[in-house]
Amino acid sequence: MTDLAPNIVGAPSSTSDDARGASSDGTSTKRPGGRFDRWTEKRWLLPLGEGVVSVVVALGFMLLCTRIDVNPVTRVGQVSGLAAVQQYVALLGIPVLAVLLFLAYRGTLRYYQVAQRLACAALAGLATGVVAGGIAVALNGTPWGLGGQEGDPGNLMGMANDMMRHKGLPGVYPPLFPALLALWAKVFHNGVLGVGHALKDLQLILSALVGPMAYLSWRMLLRPFWAMAIAVPASIVFLDPIRPYSHGSMLVLLPLLAACFREIRRADELSTRSAVLRGIGFGAAFGVMFLWYSGWYLWAAPGSFILVLMLFPWRRGRVAIKRAVLFLGTILITAAVIGAPLVYQLVRLGATTKDRYAYLNTYIDPAYVLGWASDRAGNLNYQNFPVSGELAGQTGFSVLLLLGVGIGVGLGLRNVVVRTAGFVLAGAWLLRFWFASHMEQNQAVQLYPRTTWIIYYCLIILAVLGVMLTYERAFGWIRGTLKEVAPARAARISPRAMSQLAAGLICAIALFATMGGSWSANRYMPSTTPGVEDMGLDALRAHLQQLDNGQCPKYSPNKGKQACKPINRKLSEYTFVPDQNHLWCANTGGNHDLICGRPPGN
């Protein structure tokens, strides 16, 4: 699977001579291996470099943006803050892209290849670093995170407080993030007294790390350019700074599943020791992710189960079957041991847990999966969201995306990544409509709108792979044809030309990342429209929460009025509320009875 895309985008994988050096016109100029070549040929060095660069850029840029001092509660201050973020992006990004373009045109292809890997890693980190930096601007002047002490952030603080008070978590929520929140509060923020301040830290840090997590996960399967082409748009689209751990786990789960299925397909090539060690590694990863956020396992389960049965080496002999069973068994045992606490709670309480929270995404056409509106819907309703497109309600973007999906499935059905995305999509699609079709009868939502994210993610994966496979086949066919009829023209399609094309495309994706990151951060700027509950409400709440000294935060609209919300030191998650056995409907405006089938409160 690592040969899906060439080392230099556009060049065959076998162009080792061209990769070592070429003149400015693209002709090969082999040079004796120097210290640079000896270092870069170490298998661990460049992957380690990609990881370090991506993480450092993401966290470093977020920390840099904490130095931006504007009033984020006014719209003019928000615009100035977003502009300062973009200024930092330009000052840091333009030199990197300039070096990449210079090496693509004048440097040796060996140097360009290394620069491309590092640039792609840096871009993945910068994409979500911009979002995290924008959130840092939105929270400037307050030590509280998005949400203050209300809603889901308040629930997370309650879980962390319970852990610090040595109480268990009787619910079915994955315990790893609340445990990290409790530990962070205890080490850096005086325990229970500072759990809200600790949540802000983790919201910023984990938001910044979503891009590197996605990119490095896809690097298990794809070359740098294509890994970045999936990771950058997916990270920006799906990043939820209020709970960045949840969507980060989804972005990692799909490539991890694909890598696991790849090992099953080639089980006959593994030794017994290798099968066990790889099984332990995958099992540990799945187990930890299950404790980190488990929801995506449900939606991915049906398609994954069927794909395992299809890829299992039934006809490759006893050795292959034995290795595959050993590999899968080791994964299941390791994951079950690590995830045992949550598995126990799900078995004990899962059947009695009903999700009855209905909101805008449960009122729209259930076949729409290319956008999301949270319960902070602002002026949106099911009649004006989603926007109807030109072709049977589908926009030009959705038609192009589905075209890419069709090409990806058509050209790459034997590709394990294509199969993984396709089967997970199909399974999540069926579960989505199963739960949605029973919503009225059962008066339960069961989180089915969250399938929107994993289905959309699968569509992005398939579309990018469609572009990749089209590119590989088209250029392979053109080069082969020209070699037969016009060898001189074929020589012009050299690794040098392909590196120049790739460098230009990286610049375009970098521009998209900065624009898309600013769009994402702008949605979370504190609300400036009175009475409208949009996505900026959570940032506004952070500015309406009292400080430890009883005062309002620096830029609070209540500054000087002593009217900020008091700190709840006894915050706890688990307060028993009797089940009403019917949907709790939000975002209904004045049409509660028409949307939910009953007047409010009944």
Side-chain angles (χ1 to χ4, degrees):
M1 289 298 297
T2 54
D3 60 352
L4 281 178
N7 288 321
I8 302 172
V9 176
S13 300
S14 60
T15 58
S16 58
D17 290 342
D18 291 332
R20 287 198 172 275
S23 64
S24 60
D25 61 358
T27 58
S28 176
T29 58
K30 294 185 184 179
R31 299 179 182 178
R35 181 178 299 178
F36 177 82
D37 288 336
R38 290 198 298 271
W39 273 102
T40 55
E41 285 173 357
K42 295 179 183 293
R43 296 185 60 183
W44 56 268
L45 184 64
L46 287 179
L48 177 63
E50 288 180 72
V52 170
V53 166
S54 191
V55 170
V56 168
V57 168
L59 293 179
F61 190 83
M62 180 272 292
L63 291 173
L64 180 63
C65 291
T66 61
R67 300 175 60 87
I68 299 173
D69 189 12
V70 295
N71 181 351
V73 182
T74 66
R75 186 55 188 165
V76 171
Q78 295 170 8
V79 172
S80 293
L82 291 171
V85 172
Q86 292 299 307
Q87 186 178 36
Y88 287 160
V89 171
L91 291 175
L92 295 174
I94 289 177
V96 173
L97 296 177
V99 170
L100 185 69
L101 287 169
F102 173 81
L103 292 175
Y105 278 84
R106 296 297 180 184
T108 66
L109 293 183
R110 179 65 174 172
Y111 289 162
Y112 169 77
Q113 181 184 19
V114 174
Q116 187 201 72
R117 293 181 68 163
L118 298 180
C120 289
L123 182 53
L126 187 62
T128 48
V130 169
V131 181
I135 302 303
V137 172
L139 298 176
N140 181 45
T142 176
W144 296 94
L146 293 173
Q149 285 190 320
E150 301 181 52
D152 287 344
N155 294 334
L156 292 168
M157 293 178 207
M159 296 183 201
N161 285 344
D162 281 349
M163 287 185 168
M164 285 186 281
R165 294 169 182 144
H166 306 290
K167 297 180 181 180
L169 294 182
V172 295
Y173 201 83
L176 203 54
F177 178 77
L180 175 61
L181 178 58
L183 178 63
W184 196 273
K186 196 169 184 178
V187 173
F188 297 108
H189 294 282
N190 300 315
V192 173
L193 299 177
V195 67
H197 305 173
L199 182 60
K200 175 184 177 179
D201 292 348
L202 294 182
Q203 285 176 340
L204 294 177
I205 292 171
L206 294 179
S207 292
L209 290 178
V210 166
M213 288 168 55
Y215 173 77
L216 295 174
S217 299
W218 281 110
R219 283 292 285 122
M220 295 188 297
L221 299 155
L222 302 174
R223 296 293 184 184
F225 179 85
W226 301 110
M228 178 200 62
I230 293 176
V232 167
S235 298
I236 293 175
V237 168
F238 301 119
L239 174 56
D240 180 8
I242 300 175
R243 295 169 299 274
Y245 57 92
S246 64
H247 292 74
S249 65
M250 181 192 75
L251 295 174
V252 171
L253 178 61
L254 268 293
L256 192 63
L257 283 172
C260 179
F261 295 146
R262 177 184 62 182
E263 300 302 320
I264 294 173
R265 192 167 66 172
R266 64 182 190 186
D268 54 336
E269 302 174 11
L270 302 177
S271 65
T272 300
R273 181 175 180 272
S274 179
V276 171
L277 292 177
R278 289 168 188 252
I280 291 174
F282 277 104
F286 284 126
V288 170
M289 286 179 55
F290 183 73
L291 295 179
W292 188 245
Y293 194 81
S294 58
W296 309 115
Y297 285 78
L298 170 64
W299 312 120
S304 297
F305 178 76
I306 294 174
L307 187 56
V308 166
L309 295 179
M310 291 182 60
L311 295 177
F312 195 84
W314 302 104
R315 300 181 180 180
R316 296 187 186 177
R318 182 180 301 176
V319 173
I321 292 176
K322 179 181 177 181
R323 298 288 190 274
V325 169
L326 188 62
F327 175 69
L328 287 173
T330 306
I331 289 177
L332 293 175
I333 292 172
T334 305
V337 170
I338 294 175
L342 183 56
V343 172
Y344 172 74
Q345 292 293 78
L346 288 171
V347 172
R348 188 170 70 92
L349 301 173
T352 62
T353 302
K354 296 291 184 181
D355 167 41
R356 303 193 189 277
Y357 183 54
Y359 53 108
L360 179 58
N361 286 280
T362 60
Y363 310 144
I364 67 174
D365 175 11
Y368 179 73
V369 293
L370 297 182
W372 177 264
S374 73
D375 56 357
R376 310 279 192 263
N379 294 317
L380 297 178
N381 59 59
Y382 69 93
Q383 294 174 323
N384 61 26
F385 175 82
V387 177
S388 181
E390 305 83 2
L391 184 63
Q394 308 307 305
T395 63
F397 165 74
S398 64
V399 172
L400 289 175
L401 182 70
L402 294 176
L403 176 63
V405 170
I407 294 173
V409 173
L411 296 181
L413 193 56
R414 294 183 180 275
N415 183 302
V416 72
V417 181
V418 171
R419 290 188 179 186
T420 300
F423 275 81
V424 169
L425 186 156
W429 187 267
L430 292 173
L431 285 178
R432 175 186 182 87
F433 291 108
W434 167 262
F435 287 118
S437 64
H438 289 77
M439 181 170 58
E440 182 185 30
Q441 176 184 345
N442 297 338
Q443 288 293 292
V445 177
Q446 298 307 93
L447 302 176
Y448 88 79
R450 298 190 183 187
T451 56
T452 299
W453 288 313
I454 197 166
I455 291 171
Y456 192 8
Y457 186 30
C458 290
L459 292 174
I460 291 175
I461 294 169
L462 291 171
V464 171
L465 292 179
V467 174
M468 183 187 74
L469 294 168
T470 300
Y471 161 82
E472 288 182 346
R473 294 200 180 190
F475 275 92
W477 180 82
I478 292 172
R479 180 177 293 172
T481 303
L482 289 177
K483 279 185 177 180
E484 295 179 359
V485 298
R489 291 185 178 181
R492 296 179 184 176
I493 308 178
S494 64
R496 171 69 64 188
M498 296 301 99
S499 67
Q500 294 165 359
L501 172 62
L505 293 176
I506 290 172
C507 291
I509 295 176
L511 185 58
F512 166 81
T514 58
M515 295 168 64
S518 187
W519 162 84
S520 180
N522 181 57
R523 297 178 301 160
Y524 293 94
M525 288 293 165
S527 299
T528 56
T529 305
V532 176
E533 292 194 358
D534 56 19
M535 295 180 72
L537 177 62
D538 289 295
L540 182 62
R541 285 175 171 173
H543 291 277
L544 296 176
Q545 188 75 52
Q546 274 187 3
L547 304 176
D548 292 340
N549 60 9
Q551 301 295 314
C552 290
K554 180 179 180 180
Y555 297 110
S556 172
N558 293 333
K559 185 70 174 175
K561 300 178 182 179
Q562 305 296 312
C564 287
K565 189 177 180 64
I567 299 174
N568 182 2
R569 300 295 189 190
K570 298 181 179 180
L571 194 68
S572 183
E573 153 74 359
Y574 299 106
T575 301
F576 177 74
V577 178
D579 190 352
Q580 300 297 316
N581 297 317
H582 58 68
L583 293 175
W584 193 94
C585 297
N587 304 140
T588 59
N591 299 319
H592 195 285
D593 54 342
L594 295 177
I595 292 175
C596 229
R598 66 180 188 283
N602 293 343

